[in-house]
Amino acid sequence: MAGFQTVEAFHPAEGTLELLPFRFERIEKSYLVSNMVGDFIRLSGDELERIVELRMRPGDGLYEKAYAAHLIGGVNQKAKRQILAFRLRSRLAFLRETTPLHIFVVTLRCEHSCPYCQVSRQSTDRSRFDMSEETARRALDVAFESPSARIKIEFQGGEPLLNFPLISTIISLAKSKAAAVNKKVDFVIASNLALLDDTILAFCKENDVLLSTSLDGPADLHNKNRPRPGGNSHELATAGIRRAQAVLGPERVGALMTTTEASLDRVEEIVDEYLRLNLDGIFLRPLSPYGFAIKTKAFRKYGAADWLGFYERGLRYVLEINRRGTHFPEFYATLILKRMLTDRPIGYVDLRSPAGIGLGALVYNYDGKVFASDEGRMLAEMGDRTFELGHVTDSYRSLLLSDKLIGLVDASLTQCAPECSDCVFEAHCGADPVYHHATQADPVGIKPLSEFCARQKGVMRLLLDLLENSPQDAAILRRWGGM
Amino acid sequence: MDVGTYVFIEFPAAVQSLDALQAAAYRLIGAATCQIDKTGDRWVCKLTPVSGSKEAPDTAALKTRFLDLVTDENLRQQIAHRTEGVRNVILSLAFGSLAGSSND
Amino acid sequence: MGWHVTLSLHGIANFSSGVATSEQSAVVRLRSPVHSMERLPTDFVIVRSREDLQHAVDAKLDGVVIISNDRLEGFPEAAKLSRVISVSQKFEYLSDGDIIGFHPESKRFRTLYRRRSGHNSFLVTDRCDHYCLMCSQPPKDIDDRWILGEIKAALPLIDKETVSLGFTGGEPLLDWREFIGALAICRDELPSTAIHVLSNGRAFVRDEVVAAWVGVRHPNLTVGIPIYAAIDHIHDHVVQARGAFDETVLGVLKLKDKGQRVEIRVVLHALTAPRIVETCKWFARNLPFVDHVALMGLENTGFAIANADELWIDPIEYQSELAHAVDLLVSANMNVSIYNLQRCILDRSVWPYAPRSISDWKNGYIEECDRCIEKDRCGGFFTSGRPRRSRGISPILAS
């Protein structure tokens, strides 16, 4: 029997190590490092320096740490390069499904008057602010030219249920088109649910339509954000949620919240309200600075630091609920965790590079104009047509390949932007050309001045801290990331 | 050398790249403006804290921060230089064969 | 003490006559006397008593296997039987449908297949291009290519209802063309049988081998490949082969790229268990698409005994790392199993992933286990080699 060799016999020969690409960020005295596919690792200054200079030896602990994290490899080794290559490909595979989301603004009419609403309200009885059937048909033609095997049609407004007849026409047309070309279609109606009735509910059940509504928190908070003649927005929303859950099932009813200054100190109550209504999780998201928000200066009333305080408090409260045994995810953390812990696509058009404008979503306005995003449409309401791509009479191809869209996507690529291209968080972030155009008059934006950037970094730092330092929370977060 | 509310920092041009100084300056936008001039064989950076608070700006902290940023940018350049080759190989493995068929 | 099973799967016949073959071995399927089904020339009827012997003679049977300590072949009527093999009572477990490989010259035989067992595995070769520190089947440098021939002859005789079959070694893919030929026979003769191959995976670094494997188009074929660490030199040291990690991982990538089923295996000992969290984190991030991960307690046999100083670690010492590692894999939606470790030492959180796994022919329990409420769900111990138990073994008396 031949002898066994010691581990030294299997150490790589001198000079056969190579450095692999990675990024870093100095955080106080240590460094946060991410490799080419965004896996994170923490290093001391000394460790970072030794890795860059390849001053490590197998068995010293640093070699192993760096090798497992894909910061170093063997110059003659093939597997690691192949792993990084296919993982990069997986992480960008979302590009193959072009424009999965199609938003139909079926009317601008609405009976609420929310101060932050990004839609220009028109009063209820003016039907020249409704989408026509002709426009809807042409918009469907464009939507079905998208090469995606599965598309989602989302109805927005105003209050889309004010034009329910058109919604039902669009859905039945869409279903026959989908069957004809062997595509799948999902439907969502984003509504305040005040106008929900049995007919609408029965239709939604029959056609598998998801309902998404707004719920900003307990009654006083919600009603303050959403004034309605009668002051009963919250009562109608909660009644609508319960009714819809009873008919469609709780998994087919979702709610989104908008954070205003009044919300900042009441996150626990907001979460409790969501639990009370048996909703399956909560999406803690910040306010966008558009439409009436700008006119009423509401968006300036809190900055990134305030929002991050709100978010952290909310996330910790949600985690406590999960630790006590109730499965209740926070959806923004869930999206980021999927990016950080897996290479699977997340299907969220607002956090990707190349940006989701046009490539991820198209918005068909009531008047037939086509926009690259719903915030882009709202900017047009204020006179800024930067994100207007064309009209429903244009072909999908010409809309997507327009110089305008290509220019905006190209300019805002995080892979190339100053600071973004070196940022340790870039692999899990996205371009937001609409936000940066609205706040800095430039699709890229100067990231040190960008509150989008500050919020993103803040959320990711918080999640990393929890993953590294709170084992029980980390296990919960990992489960969300795998959902 | 500090003069009033400015901070001056000098770097030998022979070993300090301008790109790195500019990248460091970029990260300071919002906290300070940075003017970079060349005097003889040295880069001279003039940092001016952005006014916004009533307190006197902490010039020592600003100087430390800028030096750290420059150190970081220099390191980034070093890493980019050393990994450019393998980075291109990995990118071409990832996307170069997309023209052919793939199972994923 | 408790109960334990250690079956002898090979031996030397006491007597044989009339069995000839041009091959090095003959494949023999055993049949119970009551079967009146059509018999193949490879079917030999089991004789356990003189009465059985008389029945066999009366029925003019073509071949018998005598299983008895009474040397029944000595009785005069036995002379009337044209082919006889006689083995001792030690092999009384042999029964209808079982298959043995018999060498007429040396009278050596091996039990190749037992129909009543859930753990049938063919040893394809004793040769290997690795030399793992804990190898339970230490490699031999001999020409044993005749074994594949024996296996190919046995496959058509196997019960078509067999749920699963294993192929192991040594390294089964050393003669990959021949071996893949055997897989094709499995596909044709045993289309409903799941096939599980254990391999070090190095052969799959070659495109022609992957292509041949894919070409079998087997409906249910999995290969189990060990990856012992996220670090090249650690894996290479465990398997005693330079460059193994790189080629093995590349082989896994190539197989998965072609949609083949791959299981990753990790044997837990002092070189692999302390870093199991790092290893499984690496699997979850880099190989999340593999079909299964098997984390396995050490079988203290073969080279594991020679290298005990380097390899032995009391399993109780790595249980919290193991639980964390399993959580990482499960969160990444991977299928995980823990084999060969006892429930009393496993963290409760991983019990759902710990099926009974030790092959029936080398499995047992100890006396304390009789009082344990988890005994029926626990896999027990290896009876092979020199069983070495954790200090944490003790009966679970309450939930």
Side-chain angles (χ1 to χ4, degrees), chain A residues 202-314:
Chain A
F203 178 86
C204 288
K205 187 167 174 76
E206 165 127 8
N207 292 279
D208 226 1
V209 179
L210 241 137
L211 284 177
S212 171
T213 191
S214 300
L215 183 67
D216 289 350
D220 67 307
L221 187 55
H222 180 101
N223 287 331
K224 183 176 172 175
N225 283 345
R226 295 170 190 272
R228 186 178 194 274
N232 57 350
S233 180
H234 180 267
E235 198 185 306
L236 290 169
T238 52
I241 288 171
R242 291 214 155 93
R243 221 169 145 190
Q245 286 171 333
V247 176
L248 306 179
E251 68 289 350
R252 302 300 289 167
V253 182
L256 291 176
M257 61 158 296
T258 303
T259 312
T260 59
E261 202 199 1
S263 323
L264 289 180
D265 203 33
R266 301 179 63 180
V267 69
E268 294 86 0
E269 292 176 68
I270 300 169
V271 172
D272 286 339
E273 183 67 6
Y274 271 66
L275 282 165
R276 187 179 76 85
L277 286 161
N278 202 27
L279 291 159
D280 63 356
I282 187 165
F283 196 158
L284 297 176
R285 58 170 192 169
L287 185 65
S288 302
Y290 307 123
F292 286 138
I294 287 182
K295 289 187 188 164
T296 57
K297 301 278 188 274
F299 85 102
R300 286 198 211 284
K301 284 196 179 161
Y302 65 84
D306 292 326
W307 182 81
L308 280 167
F310 163 84
Y311 182 81
E312 177 166 353
R313 231 172 97 178

Side-chain angles (χ1 to χ4, degrees), chain A residues 65-364:
Chain A
K65 197 170 169 183
Y67 191 91
H70 300 317
L71 302 181
I72 59 167
V75 290
N76 299 314
Q77 290 180 342
K78 299 202 174 82
K80 198 174 274 280
R81 292 179 180 192
Q82 290 286 359
I83 285 176
L84 289 170
F86 86 72
R87 285 186 60 189
L88 263 180
R89 234 189 358 254
S90 299
R91 295 187 70 85
L92 287 176
F94 66 87
L95 289 171
R96 292 220 207 111
E97 296 300 307
T98 7
T99 323
L101 177 61
H102 300 267
I103 297 173
F104 282 64
V105 181
V106 291
T107 181
L108 285 196
R109 293 181 290 134
C110 180
E111 16 60 270
H112 279 60
S113 51
C114 311
Y116 59 77
C117 181
Q118 295 143 16
V119 174
S120 154
R121 292 166 290 127
Q122 308 296 331
S123 69
T124 315
D125 59 8
R126 286 201 283 181
S127 42
R128 65 189 173 93
F129 291 99
D130 286 5
M131 180 183 274
S132 72
E133 189 177 313
E134 169 70 14
T135 301
R137 282 178 183 274
R138 287 186 185 266
L140 273 175
D141 287 342
V142 174
F144 274 88
E145 281 176 67
S146 134
S148 262
R150 186 175 194 138
I151 63 172
K152 178 153 77 169
I153 292 179
E154 186 170 312
F155 298 98
Q156 291 185 8
E159 170 46 54
L161 291 182
L162 283 168
N163 194 0
F164 179 71
L166 185 67
I167 291 178
S168 98
T169 303
I170 292 173
I171 287 179
S172 67
L173 284 172
K175 286 176 98 156
S176 28
K177 283 174 95 73
V181 296
N182 205 20
K183 274 195 214 265
K184 286 198 176 9
V185 200
D186 301 303
F187 301 102
V188 183
I189 304 176
S191 162
N192 60 36
L193 299 186
L195 305 166
L196 208 58
D197 63 27
D198 289 335
T199 312
I200 294 173
L201 275 172
F203 178 86
C204 288
K205 187 167 174 76
E206 165 127 8
N207 292 279
D208 226 1
V209 179
L210 241 137
L211 284 177
S212 171
T213 191
S214 300
L215 183 67
D216 289 350
D220 67 307
L221 187 55
H222 180 101
N223 287 331
K224 183 176 172 175
N225 283 345
R226 295 170 190 272
R228 186 178 194 274
N232 57 350
S233 180
H234 180 267
E235 198 185 306
L236 290 169
T238 52
I241 288 171
R242 291 214 155 93
R243 221 169 145 190
Q245 286 171 333
V247 176
L248 306 179
E251 68 289 350
R252 302 300 289 167
V253 182
L256 291 176
M257 61 158 296
T258 303
T259 312
T260 59
E261 202 199 1
S263 323
L264 289 180
D265 203 33
R266 301 179 63 180
V267 69
E268 294 86 0
E269 292 176 68
I270 300 169
V271 172
D272 286 339
E273 183 67 6
Y274 271 66
L275 282 165
R276 187 179 76 85
L277 286 161
N278 202 27
L279 291 159
D280 63 356
I282 187 165
F283 196 158
L284 297 176
R285 58 170 192 169
L287 185 65
S288 302
Y290 307 123
F292 286 138
I294 287 182
K295 289 187 188 164
T296 57
K297 301 278 188 274
F299 85 102
R300 286 198 211 284
K301 284 196 179 161
Y302 65 84
D306 292 326
W307 182 81
L308 280 167
F310 163 84
Y311 182 81
E312 177 166 353
R313 231 172 97 178
L315 180 62
R316 288 189 186 276
Y317 185 62
V318 167
L319 283 168
E320 192 189 314
I321 288 164
N322 280 267
R323 284 200 302 273
R324 289 201 230 116
T326 306
H327 173 69
F328 188 80
E330 196 284 300
F331 292 122
Y332 197 59
T334 302
L335 287 169
I336 307 291
L337 288 162
K338 286 184 182 185
R339 293 283 293 270
M340 299 205 299
L341 301 177
T342 79
D343 300 327
R344 294 195 323 260
I346 60 172
Y348 183 64
V349 300
D350 292 334
L351 195 71
R352 38 171 279 180
S353 179
I357 48 170
L359 300 179
L362 282 175
V363 178
Y364 310 98

Side-chain angles (χ1 to χ4, degrees), chain B residues 102-104, chain C residues 257-259:
Chain B
S102 154
N103 276 7
D104 51 2
Chain C
D257 189 49
K258 298 293 182 199

Side-chain angles (χ1 to χ4, degrees), chain C residues 183-300:
Chain C
L183 293 180
I185 296 175
C186 289
R187 175 200 63 215
D188 296 336
E189 298 286 344
L190 300 160
S192 331
T193 305
I195 304 293
H196 196 270
V197 177
L198 294 186
S199 166
N200 63 33
R202 299 285 295 275
F204 297 113
V205 85
R206 294 161 62 187
D207 293 333
E208 53 173 350
V209 179
V210 175
W213 184 275
V214 171
V216 175
R217 293 193 209 296
H218 193 285
N220 193 348
L221 171 64
T222 305
V223 58
I225 296 176
I227 297 179
Y228 292 117
I231 316 294
D232 51 356
H233 66 86
I234 295 178
H235 174 93
D236 288 0
H237 173 226
V238 171
V239 308
Q240 296 281 299
R242 279 186 84 83
F245 178 79
D246 195 53
E247 285 199 355
T248 301
V249 173
L250 202 50
V252 169
L253 295 181
K254 290 192 181 199
L255 284 170
K256 288 312 300 173
D257 189 49
K258 298 293 182 199
Q260 303 303 298
R261 292 181 57 84
V262 175
E263 166 189 271
I264 302 293
R265 315 189 116 213
V266 188
V267 175
L268 296 165
H269 52 56
L271 300 178
T272 58
R275 4 183 32 107
I276 194 62
V277 170
E278 173 191 75
T279 305
C280 288
K281 186 173 174 185
W282 196 89
F283 292 158
R285 286 317 316 268
N286 297 288
L287 303 176
F289 42 75
V290 300
D291 301 274
H292 187 230
V293 176
L295 306 171
M296 311 171 48
L298 180 66
E299 187 181 353
N300 201 42

Side-chain angles (χ1 to χ4, degrees), chain C residues 56-319:
Chain C
V57 170
D58 293 341
K60 295 191 177 47
L61 290 184
D62 180 32
V64 300
V65 171
I66 297 171
I67 308 175
S68 167
N69 282 337
D70 295 337
R71 306 302 297 262
L72 299 173
E73 64 276 10
F75 288 111
E77 54 272 34
K80 297 190 186 144
L81 295 164
S82 52
R83 298 183 301 167
V84 176
I85 300 172
S86 175
V87 304
S88 78
Q89 196 78 3
K90 198 162 66 155
F91 302 96
E92 64 178 340
Y93 65 81
L94 289 171
S95 63
D96 182 71
D98 292 354
I99 298 172
I100 62 173
F102 180 71
H103 300 215
E105 245 182 69
S106 65
K107 294 211 278 289
R108 288 182 184 277
F109 70 94
R110 294 177 328 143
T111 304
L112 299 177
Y113 167 78
R114 288 174 300 126
R115 196 169 67 164
R116 285 182 309 188
S117 167
H119 300 104
N120 279 297
S121 192
F122 285 103
L123 182 111
V124 172
T125 176
D126 267 320
R127 287 165 295 139
C128 192
D129 52 350
H130 278 187
Y131 207 66
C132 302
L133 294 173
M134 66 284 180
C135 185
S136 58
Q137 192 77 31
K140 296 177 191 153
D141 189 16
I142 51 168
D143 186 354
D144 58 3
R145 283 173 293 175
W146 57 267
I147 294 179
L148 262 171
E150 185 178 76
I151 291 173
K152 285 179 175 179
L155 288 172
L157 306 176
I158 290 176
D159 187 342
K160 312 276 182 214
E161 313 264 295
T162 303
V163 171
S164 68
L165 271 184
F167 289 93
T168 161
E171 173 46 50
L173 276 126
L174 283 180
D175 287 313
W176 59 271
R177 280 195 185 87
E178 284 290 316
F179 177 68
I180 290 177
L183 293 180
I185 296 175
C186 289
R187 175 200 63 215
D188 296 336
E189 298 286 344
L190 300 160
S192 331
T193 305
I195 304 293
H196 196 270
V197 177
L198 294 186
S199 166
N200 63 33
R202 299 285 295 275
F204 297 113
V205 85
R206 294 161 62 187
D207 293 333
E208 53 173 350
V209 179
V210 175
W213 184 275
V214 171
V216 175
R217 293 193 209 296
H218 193 285
N220 193 348
L221 171 64
T222 305
V223 58
I225 296 176
I227 297 179
Y228 292 117
I231 316 294
D232 51 356
H233 66 86
I234 295 178
H235 174 93
D236 288 0
H237 173 226
V238 171
V239 308
Q240 296 281 299
R242 279 186 84 83
F245 178 79
D246 195 53
E247 285 199 355
T248 301
V249 173
L250 202 50
V252 169
L253 295 181
K254 290 192 181 199
L255 284 170
K256 288 312 300 173
D257 189 49
K258 298 293 182 199
Q260 303 303 298
R261 292 181 57 84
V262 175
E263 166 189 271
I264 302 293
R265 315 189 116 213
V266 188
V267 175
L268 296 165
H269 52 56
L271 300 178
T272 58
R275 4 183 32 107
I276 194 62
V277 170
E278 173 191 75
T279 305
C280 288
K281 186 173 174 185
W282 196 89
F283 292 158
R285 286 317 316 268
N286 297 288
L287 303 176
F289 42 75
V290 300
D291 301 274
H292 187 230
V293 176
L295 306 171
M296 311 171 48
L298 180 66
E299 187 181 353
N300 201 42
T301 187
F303 285 164
I305 299 175
N307 289 310
D309 286 346
E310 206 171 357
L311 297 178
W312 170 255
I313 176 173
D314 187 334
I316 200 112
E317 288 174 36
Y318 60 72
Q319 288 310 311

